[in-house]
Amino acid sequence: MIRPTAKDLAEAAGVSLATVDRVLNDRPNVSARASLKVQEAIEKIGFVRNLAAVALARNKIYRFRFVLPSKGDQYLQELLQRVGEASHTLKSDLTEITVDQIATDDPYQLSRHLAAIETEEVDGVAVMAPESPQVRDALSRLMTRGIHLVQFLSGQEKLKTADFVGVDNFAAGATAGRIIGRFLGNEPGKIMIVAETMVARDSIERRRGFDSIINEQFPHLRALPSLETYGDQSRAAAIIQNVVERHHDIRAAYVLSPESRIPVSAISQHADLQKVTVVVHERTPFSEEALRTGRIDAIIAQDPGHAVRSAVRIMRARADLRDPIAAQEKIRIEVLLKENL
Amino acid sequence: MIRPTAKDLAEAAGVSLATVDRVLNDRPNVSARASLKVQEAIEKIGFVRNLAAVALARNKIYRFRFVLPSKGDQYLQELLQRVGEASHTLKSDLTEITVDQIATDDPYQLSRHLAAIETEEVDGVAVMAPESPQVRDALSRLMTRGIHLVQFLSGQEKLKTADFVGVDNFAAGATAGRIIGRFLGNEPGKIMIVAETMVARDSIERRRGFDSIINEQFPHLRALPSLETYGDQSRAAAIIQNVVERHHDIRAAYVLSPESRIPVSAISQHADLQKVTVVVHERTPFSEEALRTGRIDAIIAQDPGHAVRSAVRIMRARADLRDPIAAQEKIRIEVLLKENL
DNA sequence: ATATAACTGAGGTGCGCACCTCAATGCAAG
DNA sequence: CTTGCATTGAGGTGCGCACCTCAGTTATAT
């Protein structure tokens, strides 16, 4: 037999096609005995569902939505582009992807937005938003309503019942710590740490991971308190100037936030920081160029294209009541140097 | 209109379904005018082929084959496992994957094997084999016979007309160079370089990439001539001992070959090499464990799972006479440290 | 103008499965 | 023994497209 079909399976199991259908699709009114006979026949004849036929017969269009921040710099642009590409590619796969950009840092607005998503219009939602109890509740309610949720690159204290796509930020911070520690060698010195804001859970976890490595492995180095730019160029310059005046042995800088343009610009414009080792997060046109020209020394990244595709695969699997293939969906913490860009 | 079908397309283009079919599938006997009308209508109504329906109607089983070495250590096992996983996963996608393990280092045997592959039994072949003119010819002939070829992780001087899956080995070597250079700091010293054999093009290119960085960026370091273990444990110990006796300032070791167990074992057993920085290629159970326990300091890797899936996607696209999505198929040069394993 | 080749349309079939209806059977409680 | 419910089978329809045939039409060459 070339490739057994459901008909062959029915025959082998000694039941009708209708029963095979009931078993395969978990429909009610099947006796345990019949179910068992079908399961055994599946093993015996090596039946494998033809997914193309399933998709065609279901004739269902999968509708997924990405909820992303409305404000951001190059990293957000990068994400939007990847989502757009995925949307385009997946059209022929009966998958429609939409994007909502809202002020994800306003828990109230975000919650309202999530509450307004109708079960009928969407099969799955991938949300990238900072943590808050209110948002967490809204996400829970979303799931209760039968909408599959993916926590996307974001720092929610993970809802255990939801899928997550992204990296372990503690490990990402630790990786940055290892890089800086090894790059600096044995001479003592201080490390400047810059973030847009330390409210974001992502930044907090990275900082914790970073500190854990520096303290344990490189005790001759000292990580200074985190500076917050609030996304403001002149504020960034001012606080960095302030730190430089008080510490004469700054040998490295670590930028916690995904948007590194403002902090790195401030650092590379400062006369006293020309020789410091700089590590940032996320690959953007800016960080890539900075790595090429030597203004920064390494990028810790998670591939946004992978992340988007992974989120879609997971939502797709959940919509079909399948389990995602965990091994394939792990997002790697990438270390980018000038040579492996 | 919810989602235009070919029928809608025919209507919009003012032609028959038969003509739409001829245009969509590049069949002969279509006037330029009719073709144009269809193309325009596609744009106009936003027609997108339903791939599930295409697959079902074609009812074609895609048969792909991986040709891999018969001899190897953990990296080969890793590869085999990934191919097996892909094979399992893709069964429901009408894709059958087989593996041939042969002595790929014997050009004659490999050529004969490739020549024996029938066009009827296989749609695409992914070959991992070291370079030789004879093999290159055999690969060319394979393509001439209409079998889609993917050069898989291997060091053929690339056949321009064939697809390639894998990393740029020059860049991989350069990345290793950067890592070692930065990890060692400013003190002068020597770098021991070990390979299974320097006949493999991969190793040669990595060595070139490595040297280029060390020479340009870290002139206080010196990379010693490559040692060849020939996969022999005692020979490895002997040649390393020999080098250690002649050089007292070895500060790092770089293992070029994908199988690093033998060289690393020899290095970590040598009393004088306890403090050297070690960088190897490819993630295997051994190298992973060595990184965890600190016997090595970094791994330069290419994800074999990604590589396998990428090769299959490419062969699939080629079999459908589509172009692969280049951006998605790029294999990254990964830098693994203890923290981002 | 006629033979010929290049095009076009109408229609049909089947891919493997999901989903539906309806009748028939079994089984247990009352 | 009847009633009611769970289970099973038979059969049909349609998803969107590929692929085939054959008749009819239009352009091209002679």
Side-chain angles (χ1 to χ4, degrees):
Chain A
M1 203 170 301
I2 308 294
R3 197 174 199 272
T5 70
K7 198 175 153 192
D8 301 323
L9 178 57
E11 208 167 305
V15 300
S16 72
L17 255 177
T19 299
V20 163
D21 175 65
R22 291 184 181 106
V23 174
L24 289 183
N25 296 295
D26 284 319
R27 291 185 222 285
N29 298 332
V30 185
S31 66
R33 205 171 60 88
S35 177
L36 188 68
K37 281 202 292 185
V38 173
Q39 301 292 355
E40 286 174 352
I42 288 176
E43 292 299 319
K44 186 175 161 218
I45 69 173
F47 171 78
V48 179
R49 245 158 138 148
N50 181 335
L51 281 190
V54 172
L56 183 59
R58 283 207 232 273
N59 197 28
K60 170 181 171 55
I61 293 184
Y62 297 85
R63 281 160 309 178
F64 302 132
R65 180 167 299 174
F66 282 79
V67 176
L68 302 179
S70 51
K71 286 183 302 184
D73 194 11
Q74 294 192 342
Y75 184 58
L76 177 61
Q77 289 309 315
E78 203 72 26
L79 267 179
L80 289 172
Q81 195 171 330
R82 299 294 161 259
V83 175
E85 287 170 8
S87 166
H88 182 78
T89 307
L90 291 172
K91 265 189 195 136
S92 50
D93 254 333
L94 302 178
T95 303
E96 278 176 6
I97 296 174
T98 55
V99 178
D100 286 352
Q101 284 193 264
I102 61 173
T104 47
D105 51 350
D106 174 353
Y108 175 66
Q109 197 174 331
L110 176 56
S111 302
R112 226 178 16 171
H113 185 88
L114 294 175
I117 295 178
E118 300 291 339
T119 313
E120 295 80 37
E121 59 177 335
V122 150
D123 299 293
V125 178
V127 178
M128 173 175 172
E131 141 139 309
S132 89
Q134 205 173 141
V135 169
R136 210 159 40 241
D137 286 351
L139 293 175
S140 289
R141 264 178 268 124
L142 206 63
M143 296 176 67
T144 310
R145 289 192 285 136
I147 296 177
H148 301 283
L149 170 67
V150 170
Q151 303 187 68
F152 186 64
L153 305 183
S154 64
Q156 290 296 320
E157 185 181 342
K158 291 176 193 106
L159 289 165
K160 288 233 188 62
T161 48
D163 290 299
F164 172 74
V165 168
V167 302
D168 173 350
N169 278 310
F170 185 90
T175 304
R178 169 74 60 180
I179 292 271
I180 287 183
R182 289 295 310 247
F183 276 18
L184 292 189
N186 294 324
E187 286 173 45
K190 291 173 185 158
I191 304 165
M192 179 166 69
I193 298 191
V194 192
E196 203 160 292
T197 159
M198 286 307 286
V199 176
R201 185 179 194 89
D202 306 25
S203 293
I204 297 172
E205 290 195 353
R206 286 173 182 171
R207 169 87 214 213
R208 283 184 47 236
F210 187 81
D211 285 351
S212 78
I213 290 294
I214 295 296
N215 293 340
E216 283 172 27
Q217 308 281 322
F218 306 99
H220 56 289
L221 299 177
R222 188 156 76 82
L224 298 174
S226 308
L227 307 177
E228 296 177 272
T229 67
Y230 301 140
D232 183 311
Q233 178 76 63
S234 54
R235 177 183 161 88
I239 56 181
I240 286 172
Q241 169 64 25
N242 186 297
V243 169
V244 170
E245 279 170 11
R246 293 195 312 191
H247 302 277
H248 300 292
D249 49 352
I250 291 176
R251 300 188 55 221
Y254 174 37
V255 180
L256 292 168
S257 310
E259 305 286 9
S260 55
R261 177 149 52 171
I262 287 175
V264 169
S265 297
I267 291 167
S268 42
Q269 276 162 24
H270 198 292
D272 296 351
L273 297 175
Q274 293 307 302
K275 281 170 60 189
V276 302
T277 292
V278 182
V279 172
V280 309
H281 279 278
E282 308 311 349
R283 177 186 196 135
T284 61
F286 173 82
S287 66
E288 202 172 300
E289 176 64 14
L291 188 52
R292 272 191 224 289
T293 58
R295 295 165 72 191
I296 65 177
D297 298 85
I299 301 173
I300 313 294
Q302 48 188 339
D303 188 314
H306 281 185
V308 168
R309 289 189 289 272
S310 178
V312 173
R313 277 194 299 265
I314 289 175
M315 289 190 281
R316 173 69 184 257
R318 294 299 182 199
D320 287 340
L321 302 180
R322 288 181 295 112
D323 275 328
I325 304 170
Q328 195 176 334
E329 305 309 349
K330 178 155 193 237
I331 306 292
R332 315 288 335 267
I333 299 174
E334 296 179 357
V335 175
L336 301 179
L337 306 175
K338 193 174 176 180
E339 284 69 29
N340 68 332
L341 264 177
Chain B
M1 202 169 302
I2 308 292
R3 197 175 201 268
T5 70
K7 199 175 152 193
D8 301 322
L9 178 57
E11 208 166 304
V15 301
S16 70
L17 253 177
T19 298
V20 163
D21 175 67
R22 290 183 182 106
V23 173
L24 288 183
N25 296 295
D26 283 320
R27 291 185 222 285
N29 298 333
V30 186
S31 66
R33 205 171 61 89
S35 177
L36 188 67
K37 281 202 289 184
V38 173
Q39 301 291 356
E40 286 174 351
I42 289 177
E43 292 298 320
K44 186 175 162 220
I45 69 172
F47 171 78
V48 179
R49 248 158 137 146
N50 181 333
L51 281 189
V54 172
L56 183 60
R58 283 209 232 273
N59 196 27
K60 170 181 171 56
I61 293 183
Y62 297 85
R63 281 161 309 178
F64 302 131
R65 180 168 299 175
F66 282 80
V67 176
L68 302 178
S70 51
K71 284 182 302 186
D73 194 9
Q74 293 191 343
Y75 183 59
L76 177 61
Q77 290 310 315
E78 203 73 25
L79 266 179
L80 290 172
Q81 197 170 330
R82 300 295 160 258
V83 175
E85 288 170 7
S87 165
H88 182 77
T89 306
L90 291 171
K91 263 187 197 138
S92 49
D93 253 336
L94 302 178
T95 302
E96 278 177 6
I97 296 175
T98 55
V99 178
D100 287 353
Q101 283 193 265
I102 61 173
T104 46
D105 52 349
D106 175 353
Y108 176 67
Q109 198 174 330
L110 176 56
S111 302
R112 226 179 16 172
H113 185 88
L114 293 175
I117 294 177
E118 300 291 339
T119 313
E120 295 79 38
E121 58 177 334
V122 150
D123 299 293
V125 178
V127 179
M128 174 176 171
E131 141 139 308
S132 88
Q134 205 173 140
V135 169
R136 208 158 44 240
D137 286 352
L139 293 175
S140 289
R141 263 178 267 122
L142 206 62
M143 297 178 65
T144 310
R145 288 192 285 135
I147 296 177
H148 301 283
L149 170 68
V150 170
Q151 303 188 68
F152 186 64
L153 304 183
S154 65
Q156 291 295 319
E157 183 181 345
K158 291 176 192 107
L159 290 164
K160 289 233 189 64
T161 48
D163 290 298
F164 172 75
V165 168
V167 302
D168 173 351
N169 277 310
F170 185 91
T175 304
R178 169 74 60 180
I179 291 272
I180 288 184
R182 288 297 309 248
F183 277 17
L184 293 189
N186 293 324
E187 286 173 46
K190 291 173 185 159
I191 305 164
M192 180 166 68
I193 297 192
V194 192
E196 202 160 293
T197 159
M198 287 307 287
V199 176
R201 185 180 194 87
D202 306 25
S203 294
I204 298 172
E205 289 193 355
R206 286 172 182 172
R207 169 88 216 213
R208 282 183 46 238
F210 187 81
D211 287 351
S212 77
I213 289 295
I214 295 296
N215 293 339
E216 282 171 29
Q217 308 280 323
F218 307 97
H220 56 287
L221 299 175
R222 188 157 76 80
L224 298 173
S226 309
L227 306 176
E228 296 177 272
T229 67
Y230 301 141
D232 184 312
Q233 179 76 64
S234 53
R235 176 184 162 89
I239 54 181
I240 285 172
Q241 169 64 25
N242 187 296
V243 169
V244 170
E245 281 170 12
R246 293 194 312 191
H247 301 277
H248 301 292
D249 49 353
I250 291 176
R251 301 189 53 223
Y254 173 38
V255 180
L256 292 169
S257 310
E259 304 286 10
S260 55
R261 175 149 53 172
I262 287 176
V264 170
S265 297
I267 290 168
S268 43
Q269 276 162 24
H270 199 292
D272 297 350
L273 297 175
Q274 292 308 302
K275 281 170 56 191
V276 302
T277 292
V278 182
V279 172
V280 309
H281 280 277
E282 308 312 348
R283 177 186 194 135
T284 61
F286 173 81
S287 65
E288 203 172 300
E289 176 64 13
L291 189 53
R292 272 191 224 288
T293 57
R295 296 165 71 192
I296 65 177
D297 299 85
I299 301 173
I300 313 293
Q302 48 189 337
D303 188 313
H306 281 184
V308 168
R309 291 189 290 272
S310 178
V312 174
R313 276 195 300 266
I314 289 175
M315 289 190 283
R316 174 70 185 257
R318 293 299 182 200
D320 287 340
L321 303 180
R322 288 180 294 113
D323 275 328
I325 303 170
Q328 195 177 335
E329 305 309 349
K330 178 155 193 233
I331 306 292
R332 314 286 337 266
I333 300 173
E334 296 178 358
V335 175
L336 301 178
L337 307 175
K338 193 176 178 180
E339 284 70 29
N340 68 332
L341 262 176

